[in-house]
mmCIF file of all heavy atoms in Angstrom:
data_model
loop_
_atom_site.group_PDB
_atom_site.id
_atom_site.type_symbol
_atom_site.label_atom_id
_atom_site.label_comp_id
_atom_site.label_asym_id
_atom_site.label_seq_id
_atom_site.Cartn_x
_atom_site.Cartn_y
_atom_site.Cartn_z
ATOM 1 N N PHE A 195 2.753 -6.015 4.686
ATOM 2 C CA PHE A 195 2.257 -5.874 3.311
ATOM 3 C C PHE A 195 1.326 -7.052 3.010
ATOM 4 O O PHE A 195 1.812 -8.148 2.713
ATOM 5 C CB PHE A 195 3.415 -5.899 2.308
ATOM 6 C CG PHE A 195 4.398 -4.788 2.502
ATOM 7 C CD1 PHE A 195 5.381 -4.862 3.472
ATOM 8 C CD2 PHE A 195 4.355 -3.668 1.695
ATOM 9 C CE1 PHE A 195 6.282 -3.835 3.663
ATOM 10 C CE2 PHE A 195 5.254 -2.630 1.875
ATOM 11 C CZ PHE A 195 6.213 -2.714 2.861
ATOM 12 N N PRO A 196 0.024 -6.867 3.137
ATOM 13 C CA PRO A 196 -0.883 -7.971 2.781
ATOM 14 C C PRO A 196 -0.913 -8.094 1.253
ATOM 15 O O PRO A 196 -1.305 -7.154 0.565
ATOM 16 C CB PRO A 196 -2.239 -7.512 3.325
ATOM 17 C CG PRO A 196 -1.932 -6.321 4.208
ATOM 18 C CD PRO A 196 -0.707 -5.708 3.640
ATOM 19 N N VAL A 197 -0.453 -9.218 0.742
ATOM 20 C CA VAL A 197 -0.405 -9.405 -0.715
ATOM 21 C C VAL A 197 -1.062 -10.735 -1.103
ATOM 22 O O VAL A 197 -0.669 -11.367 -2.067
ATOM 23 C CB VAL A 197 1.048 -9.327 -1.255
ATOM 24 C CG1 VAL A 197 1.572 -7.913 -1.168
ATOM 25 C CG2 VAL A 197 1.986 -10.268 -0.503
ATOM 26 N N ALA A 198 -2.035 -11.148 -0.291
ATOM 27 C CA ALA A 198 -2.651 -12.464 -0.503
ATOM 28 C C ALA A 198 -4.037 -12.383 -1.123
ATOM 29 O O ALA A 198 -4.738 -13.375 -1.216
ATOM 30 C CB ALA A 198 -2.718 -13.219 0.823
ATOM 31 N N GLY A 199 -4.440 -11.179 -1.562
ATOM 32 C CA GLY A 199 -5.772 -11.037 -2.168
ATOM 33 C C GLY A 199 -5.830 -11.743 -3.518
ATOM 34 O O GLY A 199 -4.798 -12.099 -4.087
ATOM 35 N N LEU A 200 -7.031 -11.913 -4.030
ATOM 36 C CA LEU A 200 -7.190 -12.654 -5.289
ATOM 37 C C LEU A 200 -7.002 -11.762 -6.517
ATOM 38 O O LEU A 200 -6.756 -12.252 -7.612
ATOM 39 C CB LEU A 200 -8.579 -13.310 -5.336
ATOM 40 C CG LEU A 200 -8.858 -14.310 -4.208
ATOM 41 C CD1 LEU A 200 -10.269 -14.866 -4.334
ATOM 42 C CD2 LEU A 200 -7.844 -15.455 -4.214
ATOM 43 N N GLY A 201 -7.126 -10.462 -6.333
ATOM 44 C CA GLY A 201 -6.916 -9.536 -7.448
ATOM 45 C C GLY A 201 -7.872 -9.779 -8.599
ATOM 46 O O GLY A 201 -7.497 -9.705 -9.763
ATOM 47 N N THR A 202 -9.150 -10.020 -8.273
ATOM 48 C CA THR A 202 -10.103 -10.412 -9.328
ATOM 49 C C THR A 202 -10.330 -9.302 -10.359
ATOM 50 O O THR A 202 -10.630 -9.591 -11.519
ATOM 51 C CB THR A 202 -11.473 -10.784 -8.715
ATOM 52 O OG1 THR A 202 -11.903 -9.713 -7.880
ATOM 53 C CG2 THR A 202 -11.383 -12.055 -7.899
ATOM 54 N N ARG A 203 -10.160 -8.039 -9.926
ATOM 55 C CA ARG A 203 -10.415 -6.944 -10.880
ATOM 56 C C ARG A 203 -9.382 -6.899 -11.991
ATOM 57 O O ARG A 203 -9.541 -6.192 -12.964
ATOM 58 C CB ARG A 203 -10.441 -5.602 -10.133
ATOM 59 C CG ARG A 203 -11.743 -5.335 -9.412
ATOM 60 C CD ARG A 203 -11.623 -4.158 -8.488
ATOM 61 N NE ARG A 203 -10.712 -4.426 -7.386
ATOM 62 C CZ ARG A 203 -10.183 -3.484 -6.607
ATOM 63 N NH1 ARG A 203 -10.452 -2.228 -6.826
ATOM 64 N NH2 ARG A 203 -9.377 -3.828 -5.623
ATOM 65 N N PHE A 204 -8.309 -7.628 -11.805
ATOM 66 C CA PHE A 204 -7.239 -7.573 -12.798
ATOM 67 C C PHE A 204 -7.011 -8.898 -13.504
ATOM 68 O O PHE A 204 -5.971 -9.096 -14.134
ATOM 69 C CB PHE A 204 -5.934 -7.083 -12.163
ATOM 70 C CG PHE A 204 -5.531 -5.732 -12.651
ATOM 71 C CD1 PHE A 204 -5.586 -4.632 -11.826
ATOM 72 C CD2 PHE A 204 -5.110 -5.564 -13.964
ATOM 73 C CE1 PHE A 204 -5.232 -3.373 -12.275
ATOM 74 C CE2 PHE A 204 -4.750 -4.316 -14.435
ATOM 75 C CZ PHE A 204 -4.817 -3.215 -13.594
ATOM 76 N N LEU A 205 -7.990 -9.803 -13.387
ATOM 77 C CA LEU A 205 -7.853 -11.052 -14.140
ATOM 78 C C LEU A 205 -7.957 -10.752 -15.641
ATOM 79 O O LEU A 205 -8.684 -9.835 -16.017
ATOM 80 C CB LEU A 205 -8.970 -12.033 -13.719
ATOM 81 C CG LEU A 205 -8.719 -12.736 -12.382
ATOM 82 C CD1 LEU A 205 -9.992 -13.419 -11.883
ATOM 83 C CD2 LEU A 205 -7.584 -13.753 -12.512
ATOM 84 N N THR A 208 -3.772 -11.375 -13.232
ATOM 85 C CA THR A 208 -3.456 -11.845 -11.884
ATOM 86 C C THR A 208 -3.749 -13.331 -11.699
ATOM 87 O O THR A 208 -3.840 -13.803 -10.577
ATOM 88 C CB THR A 208 -4.263 -11.023 -10.857
ATOM 89 O OG1 THR A 208 -5.620 -10.982 -11.318
ATOM 90 C CG2 THR A 208 -3.741 -9.626 -10.714
ATOM 91 N N LYS A 213 -1.236 -9.128 -8.067
ATOM 92 C CA LYS A 213 -1.376 -7.793 -8.677
ATOM 93 C C LYS A 213 -0.269 -6.858 -8.189
ATOM 94 O O LYS A 213 0.099 -5.915 -8.885
ATOM 95 C CB LYS A 213 -2.759 -7.199 -8.409
ATOM 96 C CG LYS A 213 -3.023 -6.762 -6.986
ATOM 97 C CD LYS A 213 -4.376 -6.092 -6.871
ATOM 98 C CE LYS A 213 -4.795 -6.031 -5.421
ATOM 99 N NZ LYS A 213 -6.163 -5.642 -5.209
ATOM 100 N N GLU A 214 0.286 -7.152 -7.019
ATOM 101 C CA GLU A 214 1.353 -6.296 -6.494
ATOM 102 C C GLU A 214 2.631 -6.386 -7.323
ATOM 103 O O GLU A 214 3.554 -5.606 -7.128
ATOM 104 C CB GLU A 214 1.655 -6.663 -5.034
ATOM 105 C CG GLU A 214 0.526 -6.326 -4.058
ATOM 106 C CD GLU A 214 -0.594 -7.366 -4.019
ATOM 107 O OE1 GLU A 214 -0.476 -8.412 -4.705
ATOM 108 O OE2 GLU A 214 -1.595 -7.117 -3.320
ATOM 109 N N VAL A 242 2.592 -10.742 3.784
ATOM 110 C CA VAL A 242 1.617 -11.810 4.017
ATOM 111 C C VAL A 242 1.170 -12.286 2.641
ATOM 112 O O VAL A 242 0.448 -11.589 1.932
ATOM 113 C CB VAL A 242 0.419 -11.312 4.849
ATOM 114 C CG1 VAL A 242 -0.564 -12.452 5.083
ATOM 115 C CG2 VAL A 242 0.897 -10.735 6.176
ATOM 116 N N THR A 243 1.651 -13.446 2.250
ATOM 117 C CA THR A 243 1.454 -13.911 0.880
ATOM 118 C C THR A 243 0.400 -15.018 0.813
ATOM 119 O O THR A 243 0.085 -15.654 1.821
ATOM 120 C CB THR A 243 2.768 -14.458 0.289
ATOM 121 O OG1 THR A 243 3.102 -15.662 0.964
ATOM 122 C CG2 THR A 243 3.906 -13.474 0.449
ATOM 123 N N GLY A 244 -0.102 -15.257 -0.388
ATOM 124 C CA GLY A 244 -1.094 -16.319 -0.592
ATOM 125 C C GLY A 244 -0.666 -17.208 -1.737
ATOM 126 O O GLY A 244 0.524 -17.323 -2.017
ATOM 127 N N LYS A 247 2.221 -16.492 -4.961
ATOM 128 C CA LYS A 247 2.943 -15.311 -4.514
ATOM 129 C C LYS A 247 4.447 -15.529 -4.490
ATOM 130 O O LYS A 247 5.163 -14.786 -3.855
ATOM 131 C CB LYS A 247 2.449 -14.863 -3.123
ATOM 132 C CG LYS A 247 0.981 -14.522 -3.071
ATOM 133 C CD LYS A 247 0.651 -13.233 -3.812
ATOM 134 C CE LYS A 247 -0.851 -12.995 -3.819
ATOM 135 N NZ LYS A 247 -1.260 -11.700 -4.269
ATOM 136 N N GLN A 291 -0.740 -16.631 4.224
ATOM 137 C CA GLN A 291 -2.167 -16.646 4.581
ATOM 138 C C GLN A 291 -2.771 -17.771 3.739
ATOM 139 O O GLN A 291 -2.894 -17.646 2.520
ATOM 140 C CB GLN A 291 -2.830 -15.307 4.237
ATOM 141 C CG GLN A 291 -4.289 -15.251 4.674
ATOM 142 C CD GLN A 291 -5.031 -14.031 4.140
ATOM 143 O OE1 GLN A 291 -4.642 -13.431 3.143
ATOM 144 N NE2 GLN A 291 -6.118 -13.674 4.798
ATOM 145 N N GLU A 293 -5.657 -19.055 3.347
ATOM 146 C CA GLU A 293 -6.923 -18.818 2.655
ATOM 147 C C GLU A 293 -7.193 -17.315 2.671
ATOM 148 O O GLU A 293 -6.962 -16.681 3.717
ATOM 149 C CB GLU A 293 -8.027 -19.521 3.457
ATOM 150 C CG GLU A 293 -9.032 -20.266 2.633
ATOM 151 C CD GLU A 293 -10.125 -20.832 3.534
ATOM 152 O OE1 GLU A 293 -9.799 -21.350 4.626
ATOM 153 O OE2 GLU A 293 -11.274 -20.720 3.162
ATOM 154 N N ALA A 294 -7.688 -16.778 1.564
ATOM 155 C CA ALA A 294 -7.936 -15.328 1.500
ATOM 156 C C ALA A 294 -9.229 -14.990 2.258
ATOM 157 O O ALA A 294 -10.293 -14.825 1.669
ATOM 158 C CB ALA A 294 -8.019 -14.876 0.047
ATOM 159 N N LEU A 295 -9.099 -14.887 3.585
ATOM 160 C CA LEU A 295 -10.290 -14.658 4.412
ATOM 161 C C LEU A 295 -10.556 -13.172 4.654
ATOM 162 O O LEU A 295 -11.469 -12.818 5.375
ATOM 163 C CB LEU A 295 -10.138 -15.371 5.761
ATOM 164 C CG LEU A 295 -10.068 -16.901 5.714
ATOM 165 C CD1 LEU A 295 -9.882 -17.481 7.109
ATOM 166 C CD2 LEU A 295 -11.333 -17.475 5.074
ATOM 167 N N GLY A 296 -9.738 -12.328 4.071
ATOM 168 C CA GLY A 296 -9.966 -10.896 4.219
ATOM 169 C C GLY A 296 -8.738 -10.159 4.725
ATOM 170 O O GLY A 296 -7.810 -10.763 5.268
ATOM 171 N N LEU A 297 -8.768 -8.826 4.525
ATOM 172 C CA LEU A 297 -7.612 -8.003 4.920
ATOM 173 C C LEU A 297 -7.335 -8.094 6.423
ATOM 174 O O LEU A 297 -6.181 -8.176 6.849
ATOM 175 C CB LEU A 297 -7.880 -6.546 4.504
ATOM 176 C CG LEU A 297 -6.870 -5.516 4.953
ATOM 177 C CD1 LEU A 297 -5.478 -5.833 4.430
ATOM 178 C CD2 LEU A 297 -7.297 -4.112 4.488
ATOM 179 N N GLY A 298 -8.407 -8.098 7.233
ATOM 180 C CA GLY A 298 -8.218 -8.187 8.686
ATOM 181 C C GLY A 298 -7.499 -9.471 9.058
ATOM 182 O O GLY A 298 -6.561 -9.482 9.866
ATOM 183 N N HIS A 299 -7.912 -10.561 8.436
ATOM 184 C CA HIS A 299 -7.284 -11.856 8.697
ATOM 185 C C HIS A 299 -5.825 -11.842 8.247
ATOM 186 O O HIS A 299 -4.941 -12.374 8.928
ATOM 187 C CB HIS A 299 -8.077 -12.960 7.997
ATOM 188 C CG HIS A 299 -7.512 -14.320 8.202
ATOM 189 N ND1 HIS A 299 -6.731 -14.940 7.250
ATOM 190 C CD2 HIS A 299 -7.549 -15.164 9.268
ATOM 191 C CE1 HIS A 299 -6.350 -16.113 7.711
ATOM 192 N NE2 HIS A 299 -6.835 -16.276 8.930
ATOM 193 N N ALA A 300 -5.546 -11.215 7.099
ATOM 194 C CA ALA A 300 -4.162 -11.137 6.605
ATOM 195 C C ALA A 300 -3.281 -10.404 7.629
ATOM 196 O O ALA A 300 -2.164 -10.833 7.934
ATOM 197 C CB ALA A 300 -4.126 -10.431 5.255
ATOM 198 N N VAL A 301 -3.796 -9.309 8.184
ATOM 199 C CA VAL A 301 -3.015 -8.548 9.173
ATOM 200 C C VAL A 301 -2.797 -9.401 10.426
ATOM 201 O O VAL A 301 -1.697 -9.432 10.988
ATOM 202 C CB VAL A 301 -3.711 -7.203 9.499
ATOM 203 C CG1 VAL A 301 -3.050 -6.501 10.677
ATOM 204 C CG2 VAL A 301 -3.708 -6.296 8.270
ATOM 205 N N ILE A 316 0.701 -1.524 4.738
ATOM 206 C CA ILE A 316 0.729 -0.872 3.422
ATOM 207 C C ILE A 316 0.040 -1.773 2.403
ATOM 208 O O ILE A 316 0.418 -2.933 2.251
ATOM 209 C CB ILE A 316 2.184 -0.616 2.962
ATOM 210 C CG1 ILE A 316 2.873 0.360 3.919
ATOM 211 C CG2 ILE A 316 2.217 -0.092 1.530
ATOM 212 C CD1 ILE A 316 4.231 0.832 3.440
ATOM 213 N N LEU A 317 -0.959 -1.245 1.721
ATOM 214 C CA LEU A 317 -1.579 -1.973 0.614
ATOM 215 C C LEU A 317 -0.925 -1.451 -0.665
ATOM 216 O O LEU A 317 -1.124 -0.296 -1.067
ATOM 217 C CB LEU A 317 -3.092 -1.736 0.583
ATOM 218 C CG LEU A 317 -3.828 -2.019 1.904
ATOM 219 C CD1 LEU A 317 -5.337 -1.905 1.702
ATOM 220 C CD2 LEU A 317 -3.467 -3.382 2.471
ATOM 221 N N ALA A 318 -0.113 -2.327 -1.261
ATOM 222 C CA ALA A 318 0.755 -1.874 -2.348
ATOM 223 C C ALA A 318 -0.027 -1.457 -3.593
ATOM 224 O O ALA A 318 0.500 -0.739 -4.436
ATOM 225 C CB ALA A 318 1.748 -2.973 -2.696
ATOM 226 N N ASP A 319 -1.292 -1.906 -3.705
ATOM 227 C CA ASP A 319 -2.022 -1.498 -4.910
ATOM 228 C C ASP A 319 -2.491 -0.049 -4.821
ATOM 229 O O ASP A 319 -2.905 0.526 -5.823
ATOM 230 C CB ASP A 319 -3.179 -2.459 -5.235
ATOM 231 C CG ASP A 319 -4.141 -2.651 -4.085
ATOM 232 O OD1 ASP A 319 -3.802 -2.275 -2.941
ATOM 233 O OD2 ASP A 319 -5.235 -3.191 -4.319
ATOM 234 N N GLU A 379 -17.353 -0.114 6.711
ATOM 235 C CA GLU A 379 -16.762 -0.648 5.486
ATOM 236 C C GLU A 379 -17.759 -0.582 4.343
ATOM 237 O O GLU A 379 -18.901 -1.007 4.487
ATOM 238 C CB GLU A 379 -16.293 -2.095 5.732
ATOM 239 C CG GLU A 379 -15.561 -2.752 4.569
ATOM 240 C CD GLU A 379 -14.239 -2.088 4.190
ATOM 241 O OE1 GLU A 379 -13.614 -1.438 5.045
ATOM 242 O OE2 GLU A 379 -13.835 -2.215 3.033
ATOM 243 N N LYS A 380 -17.325 0.000 3.260
ATOM 244 C CA LYS A 380 -18.075 0.034 1.992
ATOM 245 C C LYS A 380 -19.537 0.473 2.146
ATOM 246 O O LYS A 380 -20.464 -0.235 1.702
ATOM 247 C CB LYS A 380 -18.016 -1.334 1.305
ATOM 248 C CG LYS A 380 -16.583 -1.767 0.971
ATOM 249 C CD LYS A 380 -16.537 -2.978 0.086
ATOM 250 C CE LYS A 380 -15.168 -3.276 -0.480
ATOM 251 N NZ LYS A 380 -14.052 -3.403 0.437
ATOM 252 N N GLU A 416 -15.874 -11.273 4.427
ATOM 253 C CA GLU A 416 -14.449 -11.281 4.789
ATOM 254 C C GLU A 416 -14.229 -10.704 6.184
ATOM 255 O O GLU A 416 -15.045 -9.913 6.684
ATOM 256 C CB GLU A 416 -13.662 -10.434 3.780
ATOM 257 C CG GLU A 416 -13.730 -10.983 2.365
ATOM 258 C CD GLU A 416 -12.693 -10.343 1.447
ATOM 259 O OE1 GLU A 416 -12.257 -9.208 1.732
ATOM 260 O OE2 GLU A 416 -12.319 -11.000 0.456
ATOM 261 N N ILE A 417 -13.132 -11.122 6.817
ATOM 262 C CA ILE A 417 -12.757 -10.533 8.106
ATOM 263 C C ILE A 417 -12.114 -9.183 7.797
ATOM 264 O O ILE A 417 -11.053 -9.116 7.179
ATOM 265 C CB ILE A 417 -11.820 -11.478 8.881
ATOM 266 C CG1 ILE A 417 -12.573 -12.784 9.167
ATOM 267 C CG2 ILE A 417 -11.325 -10.814 10.170
ATOM 268 C CD1 ILE A 417 -11.737 -13.874 9.793
ATOM 269 N N ASP A 443 -5.162 4.389 -7.417
ATOM 270 C CA ASP A 443 -5.722 3.080 -7.067
ATOM 271 C C ASP A 443 -5.341 2.085 -8.161
ATOM 272 O O ASP A 443 -6.075 1.912 -9.133
ATOM 273 C CB ASP A 443 -7.238 3.188 -6.910
ATOM 274 C CG ASP A 443 -7.865 1.840 -6.602
ATOM 275 O OD1 ASP A 443 -7.106 0.850 -6.441
ATOM 276 O OD2 ASP A 443 -9.108 1.764 -6.521
ATOM 277 N N GLY A 445 -5.243 -1.079 -8.038
ATOM 278 C CA GLY A 445 -5.995 -2.334 -8.017
ATOM 279 C C GLY A 445 -7.151 -2.269 -9.017
ATOM 280 O O GLY A 445 -7.863 -3.238 -9.240
HETATM 281 P P1 LIG B 829 -8.745 -5.969 -2.115
HETATM 282 O O1 LIG B 829 -10.008 -5.562 -1.478
HETATM 283 O O2 LIG B 829 -8.145 -5.041 -3.112
HETATM 284 O O3 LIG B 829 -8.971 -7.411 -2.757
HETATM 285 O O4 LIG B 829 -7.699 -6.270 -0.964
HETATM 286 P P2 LIG B 829 -8.111 -8.198 -3.794
HETATM 287 O O5 LIG B 829 -8.515 -9.620 -3.726
HETATM 288 O O6 LIG B 829 -6.653 -7.966 -3.628
HETATM 289 O O7 LIG B 829 -8.512 -7.581 -5.226
HETATM 290 P P3 LIG B 829 -9.893 -7.627 -6.015
HETATM 291 O O8 LIG B 829 -10.815 -6.675 -5.337
HETATM 292 O O9 LIG B 829 -10.392 -9.053 -6.032
HETATM 293 O O10 LIG B 829 -9.510 -7.176 -7.404
HETATM 294 C C1 LIG B 829 -7.056 -5.227 -0.277
HETATM 295 C C2 LIG B 829 -5.676 -5.664 0.118
HETATM 296 O O11 LIG B 829 -5.737 -6.737 1.056
HETATM 297 C C3 LIG B 829 -5.016 -7.845 0.605
HETATM 298 C C4 LIG B 829 -4.902 -7.668 -0.908
HETATM 299 O O12 LIG B 829 -3.746 -8.332 -1.398
HETATM 300 C C5 LIG B 829 -4.830 -6.174 -1.042
HETATM 301 O O13 LIG B 829 -3.518 -5.674 -0.816
HETATM 302 N N1 LIG B 829 -5.747 -9.064 1.021
HETATM 303 C C6 LIG B 829 -7.095 -9.127 0.850
HETATM 304 C C7 LIG B 829 -5.063 -10.106 1.614
HETATM 305 O O14 LIG B 829 -3.826 -10.067 1.764
HETATM 306 N N2 LIG B 829 -5.762 -11.205 2.029
HETATM 307 C C8 LIG B 829 -7.097 -11.289 1.871
HETATM 308 O O15 LIG B 829 -7.678 -12.317 2.292
HETATM 309 C C9 LIG B 829 -7.773 -10.238 1.259
#
Side-chain angles (χ1 to χ4, degrees):
F195 299 81
V197 290
L200 300 178
T202 53
R203 281 169 294 164
F204 248 110
L205 282 167
T208 48
K213 71 175 164 191
E214 292 81 4
V242 181
T243 69
K247 301 290 176 169
Q291 184 190 22
E293 223 184 318
L295 295 179
L297 174 59
H299 180 260
V301 171
I316 296 189
L317 307 187
D319 55 346
E379 184 64 25
K380 300 190 169 54
E416 297 194 336
I417 298 174
D443 178 4

